Amino acid sequence: MGYNIGLRLIEEFLAKSGTGRCRELKETAEIISKVGFKMFLNITPTIDNWTADFKQFSLIFDENPLAEFVELPDDGRAHRELWYSNLLAGVIRGALEMVQLQVETEFVSDTLQGSDYTELRVKFIKTLEDEIPPGED
């Protein structure tokens, strides 16, 4: 969910923000947190939990506008299986793919499931190469 939104949202982000190409994942994380989330949702998640090789990090949300007025059913299943803000994971994945970065994104914790904060984990997979479609030279 959200992947197609990210594919299109990156164009608006690049046009409005005027940011250039990031040289490393740490810089990319800073831009996502301090510029992207501020621009579109008026929040600034904290960047934390870097791995030793700097290929994974977490975005920690103290507040999440997508979950502000949400009440999950008390059936127990929704608290285990429904990641209401999963839209954000897809948006980040789609947007980064458009700038040649393949990542995996997943929620680790969510305030809707009883946690104190919402944590979104981002894992760098590889840099994508520009490819010429088959048959075109």
Side-chain angles (χ1 to χ4, degrees):
M1 245 173 70
Y3 176 78
N4 288 330
I5 295 171
L7 293 177
R8 287 166 180 72
L9 199 62
I10 190 68
E11 293 174 22
E12 183 177 349
F13 171 79
L14 292 172
K16 287 183 178 180
S17 70
T19 59
R21 193 162 196 67
C22 296
R23 300 193 192 285
E24 57 188 34
L25 189 61
K26 195 168 188 172
E27 185 180 356
T28 303
E30 293 285 329
I31 297 295
I32 291 169
S33 173
K34 295 179 179 171
V35 181
F37 275 100
K38 188 68 173 175
M39 182 185 296
F40 293 108
L41 292 175
N42 200 28
I43 60 172
T44 306
T46 306
I47 303 164
D48 203 0
N49 302 328
W50 282 97
T51 56
D53 61 0
F54 291 99
K55 292 191 178 204
Q56 292 184 45
F57 64 92
S58 292
L59 293 170
I60 310 292
F61 300 85
D62 293 325
E63 56 182 316
N64 181 356
L66 296 181
E68 203 167 300
F69 300 106
V70 175
E71 289 184 28
L72 294 179
D74 290 332
D75 64 359
R77 184 173 171 218
H79 288 277
R80 286 189 320 272
E81 299 175 11
L82 181 62
W83 293 92
Y84 193 80
S85 300
N86 214 23
L87 177 80
L88 297 175
V91 168
I92 291 171
R93 192 172 61 87
L96 289 178
E97 189 171 298
M98 291 300 289
V99 292
Q100 309 313 119
L101 294 177
Q102 183 179 2
V103 297
E104 289 179 2
T105 54
E106 68 176 337
F107 275 92
V108 177
S109 64
D110 194 347
T111 54
L112 291 174
Q113 296 180 342
S115 298
D116 293 334
Y117 55 87
T118 300
E119 180 178 352
L120 174 62
R121 193 87 181 136
V122 180
K123 178 183 177 184
F124 172 77
I125 305 299
K126 67 179 181 177
T127 302
L128 300 171
E129 302 294 326
D130 288 328
E131 295 180 7
I132 299 172
E136 293 184 25
D137 292 298

